[in-house]
Amino acid sequence: MTDKFIPLPQYHKRTQNDMLRQATDFYEQIKTRRSVRDFSSEHIAAEIIDQCILAAGSAPSGANQQPWHFVVIRDAAVKKEIRVAAEAEEQAFYAGRAGGTWLDTLKPLGTDAEKPFLENAPVLIAIFEQKYHIDANNKRIKHYYSKESTGIATGFLITALHNAGLVTLTHTPSPMKFLTQILKRPAGERPFLLLVVGFPAQDVTVPDIKKKTLDEIRSQV
Ligand code: IYR
């Protein structure tokens, strides 16, 4: 994209005391994020969502190809269409396609095939991974590490939405092909994840689950 190099923008070195304080503050903030399954219908300003998508778009990507696309869905008819298609897949999933082991693993979360949040939440963000794009000469240009890149951007997006004071659910109805059709996305794109975004319903509860400890997730050599 460019052969020009510039000084690292806005980098300022801090003391390690400051760095530890920042790192701790950030952890205290991000650890309060919880996946929420009951949303109020309260409206979210488009500008808030757009700033969060800009944050997602700042993620690193293979060869800076930025192989992602975000569709912001607010239209009630489109949300209903997505709910109907997702619930059809989920019914098959919970009726047996998942297999007993998977369903046993999911039990503590209390999920089922009913997905009212797909209509109740004010915003859905459908995230697409672009496997390739077609250039000006009609040539197919492959994207490198598109899945990893889209995963990183999605992490940025979830973090940005949480930081803005919103709650999310990372929803992965499987298969998700219906999103390509309903949202009329091009052939090079694959649905990656459906993010449900909004405010928690009043008196919402979440499962009492714990994250692994540092010793469980980190080793050192
Ligand atoms: N997609 C289904 C099942 C499901 C799967 C996993 I892995 C979860 O962490 C939660 C749910 C559903 O949304 O119900």
Side-chain angles (χ1 to χ4, degrees), residues 41-152:
S41 58
E42 189 176 337
H43 173 80
I44 310 166
E47 294 82 356
I48 299 171
I49 299 294
D50 284 349
Q51 289 305 309
C52 294
I53 291 175
L54 281 169
S58 77
S61 62
N64 193 37
Q65 287 176 311
Q66 306 167 61
W68 44 62
H69 184 81
F70 304 90
V71 183
V72 178
I73 302 150
R74 293 173 177 275
D75 185 273
V78 177
K79 287 198 277 185
K80 188 181 182 75
E81 215 180 325
I82 289 173
R83 178 181 179 181
V84 168
E87 286 185 341
E89 298 297 351
E90 297 293 3
Q91 267 143 22
F93 177 90
Y94 284 97
R97 195 175 61 201
T101 321
W102 195 348
L103 291 181
D104 282 347
T105 311
L106 281 178
K107 233 183 205 129
L109 300 183
T111 55
D112 59 30
E114 292 275 301
K115 305 297 177 193
F117 51 74
L118 293 175
E119 283 190 88
N120 298 342
V123 169
L124 309 176
I125 305 177
I127 303 166
F128 288 85
E129 168 197 359
Q130 297 177 332
K131 310 279 283 185
Y132 61 85
H133 76 273
I134 308 288
D135 77 2
N137 304 317
N138 237 3
K139 212 177 130 210
R140 184 189 284 211
I141 309 292
K142 177 187 160 48
H143 290 161
Y144 300 98
Y145 298 100
S146 55
K147 187 161 272 172
E148 291 83 349
S149 303
T150 306
I152 296 167

Side-chain angles (χ1 to χ4, degrees), residues 173-208:
S174 168
M176 277 191 283
K177 241 187 147 63
F178 63 84
L179 288 175
T180 300
Q181 286 139 20
I182 293 173
L183 301 172
K184 303 181 179 67
R185 297 308 306 164
E189 292 186 7
R190 301 282 176 276
F192 182 74
L193 195 139
L194 187 57
L195 206 60
V196 186
V197 184
F199 299 93
Q202 196 149 28
D203 301 323
V204 81
T205 61
V206 293
D208 185 13

